[in-house]
Amino acid sequence: MHGSGLIDMLWFLLASVLAVPLFRRFGLSAVLGYLFVGLLLGPYGFAVISDPDSTLAISELGVVMMLFVIGLELSPPRLWQMRHRIFVAGSVQVLLSAALLYAALLAFGLRWQSAAIVALALALSSTAVVLQLLAERKQLNSAHGKAAFGILLFQDIAAIPLLAAIPLLGHAQSESEHFTGGMALYAILVLLLMILLGRHVMRYLFRAVAWTQMREIFTAMALLLVIGTGWIMHSVGLSMGLGAFVAGVLMADSEFRHEIEAQVEPFKGLLLGLFFISVGMTVNLTTVASSPLLIAAGVLFLMAIKAVVLLMIGKWQSRIGLRESALLAATMAMGGEFAFVVFADSVRFGLIDALLRDRLVAIVGVSMALTPLLLMAMQAYFKRHPAETAAPVYDSIEDGHPRVVIAGFGRMGQIVGRMLGARKIPFIALENSVDQVALSRKFGNMIYFGDPARLEVLQSAHIATAEMLIITADDPETNLKIARLAKRHYPNLRIIARARNRQHAFRLMDMGVAAIRETLHSSVEIGKMAFIGLGIRHERAEEYARLFLEHDEHILAEQYLVHDNEAALIASAEEAYRELEALFDADRLDRPDTDQP
């Protein structure tokens, strides 16, 4: 590595390590921290980095790897299910935003060719920034997160014909630079060939590499897959990111998916950080300072136009609610990194001049920097003004003679229900998740939508005549709330409740509820299998498991008496461990573990 490149890398690492944790410490986005680092290090800041263009070219691999990892999460059937969000919502967003921006740019004096290209470029949002912001806030699976992801996928697809249109509308430097119809057909054939053959070829290669049992070769193969598919697509005029995304989708249901993701993830994170730094370096502070009102007006107009369109899409097309639609609009109203490529090509083909390019780059860069702050302000407002939600309409329950009521019908509740159903013991299950209710009813379970933490719901489930209430909800606090409510109104009702841990069990025992720790028996079963695997006879392993359970139940009852005294509880735990060792030793002396002499 050349000395200047090494020094640049040291500056990148030092500035990131100092700035990004500081931004996170004050509750700001890591993306904003990276952009700030880019502003400081770039040619319009302290000019520490000598060649920001080469850095941006390398860092774009971070976006490519991010799209590959996203593809790994989307198998072809799931992608087909998202077709409405991708093609309908995505096309409406791009075309409507571009049309409004196009009209404004024509009024600003641009030729129709230039206005069309610039409007389409500004209509696209930053895939890297949007997905990073959603991931930071754990909102990728939220309603607005899913809508944003579908629109972003369409934007990545729309970027391909946009690049092809630039030389056609501009003044190409040579005939070889035109993206002809033959080249387009060739690109489509290569893409189809990769989809049809790539899945089998890639799996065969990964099986061969996995056979070597060398992790570094597997890592090299994972990187080769991402960069290689990206290069193939780029060589035929398509997006590198699209190629990597397709490769990820093809490997989404393979046995190597999780290992590939683990190998690519560290590189993706580092290169994405470098990408955001590079974007920060492209913001021309001199241009912003020379025309602050013009840049501010451009940023405001761009984000306002796109926000209105996205709000309409969320509210009326995606049907995700007003607040979710507002979050969708705030997240995606910015410009995107792809605009930098479009603006550079537009200058090369004579569509816009260098001054307009600098102003447009500044508008896009500032919009990207403002988005994390806008999201923070919006979420702070939502926190201070919580939405007034209408009371849910719970199911009416007609079954009048259940012997058991099950509160919560997740993984544990379903097992209990299957056991009761097998013995034809009538029960009613209450679940507060609409999705879980719909799924369980497909399998013929007697389950109703209702919140078991509400007295009227328990009463409608005929809890007064039931013999038992079984509480299997996932959340410990919900379990305690249901148990407390039932005990207060039906003190003679027998209640069995799922407990997360010993402390949760103690709180249930305070109310006279039988507490079953959710991982106890499965953990004992694993321990028993470990004994057998280590050569201990099956009946001896069974005996050890029985002894452990009896001893643990005895200790739980003893510790319950002192669970409010931490020192006594610790002393009891230490004594219990010594007792268990002595118990196992005594049993082993009476009967040996193995048949060996």
Side-chain angles (χ1 to χ4, degrees):
M1 181 180 287
H2 296 293
S4 61
L6 180 60
I7 292 173
D8 288 351
M9 185 58 65
L10 288 173
W11 276 113
F12 282 132
L13 295 173
L14 178 62
S16 300
V17 167
L18 293 177
V20 175
L22 183 65
F23 273 69
R24 295 294 293 153
R25 175 67 181 82
F26 289 100
L28 300 174
S29 168
V31 173
L32 199 59
Y34 285 122
L35 292 173
F36 178 74
V37 168
L39 283 171
L40 290 181
L41 300 182
Y44 309 110
F46 293 109
V48 175
I49 304 302
S50 55
D51 188 9
D53 290 335
S54 63
T55 303
L56 181 60
I58 296 172
S59 66
E60 285 177 353
L61 286 175
V63 182
V64 173
M65 290 185 178
M66 177 184 64
L67 287 169
F68 174 75
V69 172
I70 291 170
L72 286 175
E73 302 294 331
L74 294 171
S75 61
R78 187 181 174 194
L79 196 61
W80 176 250
Q81 290 176 352
M82 295 174 60
R83 64 190 183 279
H84 181 80
R85 285 203 296 266
I86 296 173
F87 295 103
V88 178
S91 60
V92 170
Q93 186 274 322
V94 171
L95 294 176
L96 187 54
S97 298
L100 295 173
L101 291 167
Y102 173 74
L105 290 168
L106 283 180
F108 193 69
L110 265 68
R111 293 181 296 123
W112 73 266
Q113 298 95 329
S114 305
I117 293 297
V118 172
L120 284 167
L122 292 176
L124 309 183
S125 304
S126 172
T127 299
V129 176
V130 171
L131 294 181
Q132 184 74 10
L133 290 172
L134 291 172
E136 284 181 3
R137 289 164 172 77
K138 297 181 174 58
Q139 294 174 344
L140 280 170
N141 290 319
S142 64
H144 74 277
K146 293 176 181 177
F149 181 66
I151 294 172
L152 287 171
L153 281 183
F154 181 84
Q155 290 182 359
D156 287 334
I157 297 170
I160 300 165
L162 176 56
L163 276 182
I166 293 174
L168 297 177
L169 295 177
H171 305 292
Q173 294 176 356
S174 67
E175 289 299 318
S176 62
E177 295 186 53
H178 283 283
F179 195 83
T180 64
M183 293 172 64
L185 180 61
Y186 178 64
I188 293 172
L189 288 175
V190 170
L191 179 60
L192 291 176
L193 189 65
M194 191 176 86
I195 292 173
L196 294 174
L197 300 181
R199 182 178 186 183
H200 302 290
V201 173
M202 287 186 289
R203 290 192 178 192
Y204 175 79
L205 290 174
F206 272 105
R207 287 192 186 102
V209 170
W211 179 81
T212 66
Q213 296 291 310
M214 298 176 67
R215 290 183 63 84
E216 63 272 19
I217 302 300
F218 198 96
T219 302
M221 182 62 203
L223 294 176
L224 177 63
L225 172 64
V226 179
I227 300 173
T229 52
W231 176 81
I232 290 172
M233 292 296 101
H234 180 70
S235 65
V236 296
L238 301 180
S239 163
M240 286 186 68
L242 178 64
F245 175 78
V246 170
V249 171
L250 294 177
M251 296 299 292
D253 56 355
S254 78
E255 64 270 32
F256 303 106
R257 168 194 157 191
H258 297 291
E259 183 65 24
I260 295 172
E261 185 174 357
Q263 300 295 338
V264 172
E265 189 72 32
F267 297 96
K268 183 206 78 172
L270 286 172
L271 288 171
L272 264 183
L274 185 61
F275 173 79
F276 295 131
I277 293 173
S278 302
V279 170
M281 289 192 293
T282 63
V283 179
N284 190 332
L285 295 178
T286 304
T287 301
V288 176
S290 64
S291 310
L293 294 179
L294 180 62
I295 300 300
V299 172
L300 182 62
F301 183 76
L302 169 66
M303 299 186 73
I305 287 292
K306 293 179 71 175
V308 170
V309 172
L310 287 160
L311 192 66
M312 292 169 54
I313 290 173
K315 190 73 175 71
W316 288 293
Q317 202 278 327
S318 298
R319 304 179 186 276
I320 58 175
L322 182 59
R323 293 203 172 203
E324 290 282 341
S325 299
L327 286 172
L328 173 66
T331 304
M332 296 192 63
M334 72 183 105
E337 62 276 354
F338 186 75
F340 302 141
V341 180
V342 173
F343 298 153
D345 279 0
S346 297
V347 171
R348 189 156 61 93
F349 289 107
L351 286 169
I352 61 176
D353 57 32
L355 178 60
L356 179 58
R357 177 201 60 193
D358 288 345
R359 287 175 174 172
L360 289 171
V361 167
I363 288 172
V364 172
V366 172
S367 72
M368 292 168 72
L370 286 178
T371 297
L373 297 175
L374 179 61
L375 277 174
M376 288 176 58
M378 181 171 289
Q379 290 184 323
Y381 175 81
F382 286 163
K383 191 173 182 180
R384 290 194 304 270
H385 301 83
E388 294 183 4
T389 56
V393 180
Y394 296 126
D395 291 337
S396 58
I397 302 174
E398 300 175 358
D399 303 77
H401 304 286
R403 296 184 62 187
V404 178
V405 175
I406 302 176
F409 210 64
R411 294 167 298 166
M412 187 174 286
Q414 289 171 29
I415 292 173
V416 174
R418 284 163 57 193
M419 294 179 68
L420 294 175
R423 287 288 300 140
K424 300 202 171 29
I425 297 175
F427 70 91
I428 287 177
L430 301 173
E431 173 58 53
N432 201 25
S433 167
V434 177
D435 293 337
Q436 185 62 53
V437 170
L439 179 63
S440 296
R441 282 183 175 174
K442 290 181 181 178
F443 296 93
N445 292 308
M446 187 59 66
I447 179 172
Y448 294 93
F449 174 57
D451 184 1
R454 296 169 63 96
L455 179 61
E456 60 270 26
V457 173
L458 287 177
Q459 289 174 337
S460 68
H462 311 286
I463 192 72
T465 57
E467 300 175 32
M468 183 181 297
L469 170 64
I470 300 176
I471 307 173
T472 59
D474 290 338
D475 181 47
E477 291 302 320
T478 301
N479 275 3
L480 291 168
K481 184 177 180 181
I482 297 170
R484 194 177 297 114
L485 180 70
K487 271 295 180 185
R488 183 165 64 246
H489 292 277
Y490 305 99
N492 297 322
L493 178 66
R494 185 180 179 188
I495 302 176
I496 303 172
R498 168 185 184 177
R500 175 67 55 84
N501 49 38
R502 294 179 97 84
Q503 292 300 325
H504 185 204
F506 292 149
R507 296 177 68 184
L508 290 167
M509 292 164 69
D510 282 340
M511 292 183 283
V513 173
I516 305 298
R517 284 162 289 162
E518 58 186 24
T519 58
L520 174 64
H521 292 277
S522 57
S523 301
V524 171
E525 187 67 21
I526 292 173
K528 184 185 75 174
M529 293 177 68
F531 285 152
I532 296 172
L534 293 170
I536 297 176
R537 288 180 297 155
H538 187 277
E539 60 271 18
R540 301 297 296 123
E542 292 273 9
E543 182 66 14
Y544 284 143
R546 185 188 63 79
L547 287 172
F548 180 88
L549 283 172
E550 290 178 355
H551 177 262
D552 192 73
E553 290 296 330
H554 172 70
I555 294 302
L556 182 70
E558 286 191 350
Q559 290 181 342
Y560 173 67
L561 301 176
V562 295
H563 72 275
D564 292 328
N565 186 332
E566 185 176 356
L569 196 60
I570 293 173
S572 174
E574 293 174 349
E575 178 63 26
Y577 187 75
R578 289 192 292 270
E579 287 180 3
L580 184 63
E581 281 187 328
L583 189 65
F584 275 22
D585 285 342
D587 192 73
R588 183 173 56 83
L589 290 174
D590 290 340
R591 288 175 292 178
D593 288 340
T594 66
D595 295 326
Q596 299 175 357

